[in-house]
Amino acid sequence: MIEASALTKRYGRFTAVNAVTFEVRVGQVLGFLGPNGAGKSTTMKMIAGFLSPTAGRAKVCGFDVETHPIEAKKALGYLPEGAPSYGEMTVRSFLEFIAGIRGLTAESKRRRLDDVIGRLRLEGVLEQTIDTLSKGFKRRVGLAQAILHDPPVLILDEPTDGLDPNQKHEVRRLINDMAENKVIVISTHILEEVHAVCNRVVVIAGGTLLADATPGELEARSRYHMAVSLTTDETAKARETLTAIPEVETVEIDPQNQRITAFPRKGQQILMAVGDALRAQGIAVRELQLETGRLDEVFRNITQSHLREAHA
Amino acid sequence: MKPILTLFQRELRSYFATPVAYVFIVIFLLLSGAFTFYLGRFYERGQADLEPFFQFHPWLYLFLVPAVAMRLWADERKSGTIELLLTLPVTMGQAVLAKFLAAWSFVALALALTFPIWITVNYLGDPDNGVIVTGYLGSLLMAGAYLAIGACLSAATRSQVVAFILSVVVCFLFLLAGFPLVLDLFRAIAPQSLVDAIAGLSFLSHFNGISRGVIDLRDLIYFLLTIGFWLYANAVVIDLKKAD
């Protein structure tokens, strides 16, 4: 379990992280979302015990990272931003070094090494020095290092950055596999990742925590939530028809692909009404879809409105 | 204790993972040989001792030891591995100590490889081997003091070159502190007690005593305190600078 309370980091007059408070429990995969420079990495570094907070405190599995750093670090697997590792070492000797520092016994060391090497498909590069590896393999070595001691808490700073789509998929599967009995925090600016692995999202911008919700709840904040979009050959006629429906607030047409989107009035269901109206007018619909909401739009709204307030 | 050992082994191995270690050892051996035989006039003196060998160590270390120390922390900061290292379950003290001990052991190995000169002097004459042993001890302690300075300054920057130059300068000041050149300058403006204090900080005066076979507890304590002070400063500097 991770508890951050009023976690704050200032550099001189600049506040990188401003009184961020949240809690993550076992089984939760928390996605840390935010624009670049929002304070995601700084927050993670404070929880991992690398940076000391200016104010506030962080606890990992009940251990305050400032007063009981060794206990907290033992409970933690951490992948720093950019997945740094010792380039002159071979993958095998690097992982054995980590196992040694983590104090694994000979028996559990062999078992854990086999496990992570298998999970991250590192068999083929074990004897290669890390400097000679591709970006994808380097990232996987970093992940292997973080999960080697099977920690109850995992903090991964941009775990899929620089990976190709296949590798991304594998890393996400790995995270999903481990999610059930661990506390996992990942930072990302890739929104699709949130859908793929997270069951909770925290949005942070300008060092301030702006939203804390499930991906579904965030999507519900989108104006696209429960909107109906469709494509048809009779765009103009369809637009007229949809605008006439009382539950529909507005109708928009995407100038690029002529896709029509009908937005509902607050709290209204319009799917059935739209279907009935189109059928009544005899408009042939090529394809029709109920929107769940667009995370990128919500993300922009949340972070940019914060920026506007900050400038105002 | 266990984490220190693991870190120590990793560090020491990393020296030999690249050609740097071999280049260093070869240059150290060549230079110490050249100094001893040409500048020190080892043969011409006609004395069976290693004074001409040890007397150049302060100057040899001035450039070679900062070269060993410069990568200790600057490299960790540049590659970002410092974040990995300091989020592993090790204390700052353990990390600082393990890295220092690894570098010191490496220099000790280079020093130990000068053993042929010891054999030579025993073959040629009948030296006082006790003096030679204390000479080696003094040389090793002085190398440790140089290294501790280098390690601390290496933590202050990401650039190994900057770390190297800073270390050479600071080590040079500690070396020169015992020379008339510096002392005369201070004598003109400062009270005698301060001049004595500055002279007391010099590597040279403490090393000269030990290398002549006189083990004065004060010299030993001086070097150990110097190492301790700079390693403590090392930890403080890392704490201050790790964020940027």
Side-chain angles (χ1 to χ4, degrees):
Chain A
M1 187 162 127
I2 297 175
E3 299 156 78
S5 44
L7 215 49
T8 302
K9 183 75 187 174
R10 284 187 212 102
Y11 296 104
R13 293 183 60 195
F14 173 69
T15 304
V17 175
N18 189 7
V20 166
T21 301
F22 62 89
E23 231 182 75
V24 200
R25 298 179 179 285
V26 173
Q28 288 188 326
V29 180
L30 177 78
F32 239 59
L33 276 183
N36 288 330
K40 299 182 300 246
S41 288
T42 308
T43 307
M44 290 182 145
K45 282 174 185 171
M46 285 192 281
I47 298 171
F50 180 63
L51 295 180
S52 302
T54 315
R57 62 161 87 208
K59 282 185 181 178
V60 173
C61 290
F63 296 109
D64 189 309
V65 296
E66 286 293 298
T67 58
H68 295 82
I70 297 296
E71 289 87 346
K73 286 169 184 177
K74 277 187 176 158
L76 187 80
Y78 178 49
L79 174 72
E81 191 178 9
S85 50
Y86 294 104
E88 80 282 357
M89 298 179 96
T90 64
V91 174
R92 184 192 295 281
S93 57
F94 177 65
L95 292 178
E96 281 181 350
F97 160 67
I98 297 290
I101 284 277
R102 293 285 185 189
L104 299 186
T105 58
E107 161 62 22
S108 70
K109 178 172 151 185
R110 210 179 36 246
R111 214 183 52 239
R112 290 301 304 155
L113 277 176
D114 286 348
D115 182 55
V116 298
I117 289 166
R119 272 179 194 250
L120 289 151
R121 314 239 166 116
L122 295 170
E123 301 91 347
V125 297
L126 280 179
E127 307 306 331
Q128 260 177 271
T129 55
I130 294 171
D131 265 343
T132 65
L133 297 179
S134 67
K135 209 173 172 188
F137 267 119
K138 279 183 186 159
R139 182 86 23 167
R140 281 193 264 170
V141 171
L143 275 166
Q145 163 274 122
I147 64 173
L148 187 61
H149 55 303
D150 199 16
V153 176
L154 263 181
I155 296 184
L156 310 173
D157 202 345
E158 301 193 341
T160 60
D161 187 42
L163 300 185
D164 68 37
N166 292 334
Q167 293 166 335
K168 274 184 189 161
H169 177 75
E170 295 213 349
V171 167
R172 286 170 192 165
R173 209 185 51 197
L174 177 81
I175 294 172
N176 282 331
D177 284 349
M178 296 186 300
E180 198 183 333
N181 44 24
K182 285 193 198 311
V183 174
I184 304 180
V185 175
I186 68 167
S187 81
T188 180
H189 47 247
I190 308 166
L191 291 164
E192 56 178 272
E193 200 140 287
V194 171
H195 275 294
V197 294
C198 301
N199 49 32
R200 192 175 147 202
V201 187
V202 157
V203 182
I204 181 170
T208 310
L209 197 149
L210 298 176
D212 182 348
T214 66
E217 284 164 5
L218 270 195
E219 280 171 346
R221 296 194 192 181
S222 164
R223 64 190 200 101
Y224 283 91
H225 181 60
M226 303 306 277
V228 173
S229 68
L230 57 101
T231 49
T232 173
D233 291 331
E234 305 159 81
T235 309
K237 191 174 171 195
R239 177 184 201 158
E240 249 168 65
T241 312
L242 292 179
T243 316
I245 301 172
E247 291 93 342
V248 170
E249 169 109 45
T250 51
V251 176
E252 282 177 14
I253 297 175
D254 187 329
Q256 257 174 15
N257 53 12
Q258 300 294 307
R259 189 175 188 89
I260 307 171
T261 308
F263 295 94
R265 289 183 197 285
K266 210 167 176 57
Q268 300 278 2
Q269 301 278 346
I270 56 167
L271 183 61
M272 298 301 282
V274 167
D276 292 343
L278 290 172
R279 218 171 297 122
Q281 292 294 321
I283 297 171
V285 173
R286 246 182 281 149
E287 161 272 337
L288 180 145
Q289 159 183 11
L290 180 66
E291 300 265 348
T292 55
R294 295 186 184 175
L295 268 186
D296 56 342
E297 185 224 348
V298 177
F299 176 77
R300 269 200 311 276
N301 277 341
I302 295 176
T303 55
Q304 286 179 344
S305 68
H306 171 76
L307 277 183
R308 274 195 297 275
E309 277 165 34
H311 285 301
Chain B
M1 205 48 217
K2 179 85 189 328
I4 294 188
L5 191 66
T6 312
L7 278 176
F8 172 83
Q9 286 169 342
R10 197 211 75 75
E11 279 296 320
L12 196 55
R13 260 191 222 127
S14 76
Y15 280 103
F16 293 97
T18 57
V20 175
Y22 304 101
V23 170
F24 175 85
I25 288 176
V26 168
I27 289 180
F28 176 74
L29 294 179
L30 283 178
L31 283 181
S32 67
F35 283 172
T36 308
F37 290 103
Y38 292 100
L39 295 176
R41 308 179 73 77
F42 179 71
Y43 288 124
E44 290 86 337
R45 289 171 76 242
Q47 284 184 33
D49 64 19
L50 283 186
E51 208 194 310
F53 169 67
F54 287 121
Q55 83 183 64
F56 292 105
H57 280 196
W59 304 101
L60 203 53
Y61 288 156
L62 180 57
F63 290 97
L64 289 182
V65 171
V68 175
M70 66 182 185
R71 54 171 284 284
L72 275 178
W73 291 99
D75 203 31
E76 297 261 358
R77 286 189 51 196
K78 184 152 197 231
S79 65
T81 46
I82 190 168
E83 196 172 341
L84 179 74
L85 177 65
L86 295 181
T87 51
L88 290 170
V90 294
T91 64
M92 179 73 86
Q94 288 170 335
V96 167
L97 199 60
K99 272 178 167 286
F100 170 76
L101 288 178
W104 205 12
S105 304
F106 174 68
V107 175
L109 174 72
L111 188 61
L113 287 175
T114 61
F115 71 91
I117 201 160
W118 191 352
I119 294 173
T120 308
V121 77
N122 269 287
Y123 174 78
L124 292 174
D126 187 21
D128 184 342
N129 280 316
V131 173
I132 293 178
V133 169
T134 59
Y136 271 107
L137 177 73
S139 179
L140 188 60
L141 280 173
M142 185 174 57
Y146 275 104
L147 258 182
I149 292 175
C152 174
L153 295 173
S154 150
T157 168
R158 284 162 179 268
S159 157
Q160 298 195 21
V161 178
V162 173
F164 175 78
I165 294 171
L166 280 178
S167 309
V168 171
V169 169
V170 174
C171 289
F172 190 52
L173 290 177
F174 267 83
L175 194 54
L176 277 188
F179 270 74
L181 175 77
V182 176
L183 292 181
D184 287 346
L185 185 74
F186 279 102
R187 215 165 260 139
I189 53 168
Q192 185 60 32
S193 54
L194 183 64
V195 176
D196 289 344
I198 292 168
L201 280 179
S202 168
F203 284 173
L204 219 47
S205 46
H206 292 281
F207 174 65
N208 282 341
I210 303 181
S211 71
R212 293 210 183 87
V214 189
I215 299 189
D216 188 332
L217 197 59
R218 279 173 300 181
D219 293 333
L220 295 184
I221 290 175
Y222 165 77
F223 279 120
L224 292 176
L225 276 182
T226 305
I227 292 172
F229 169 80
W230 283 98
L231 288 186
Y232 179 75
N234 189 353
V236 172
V237 169
I238 295 167
D239 229 13
L240 286 176
K241 301 282 282 184
K242 65 187 174 186
D244 42 79

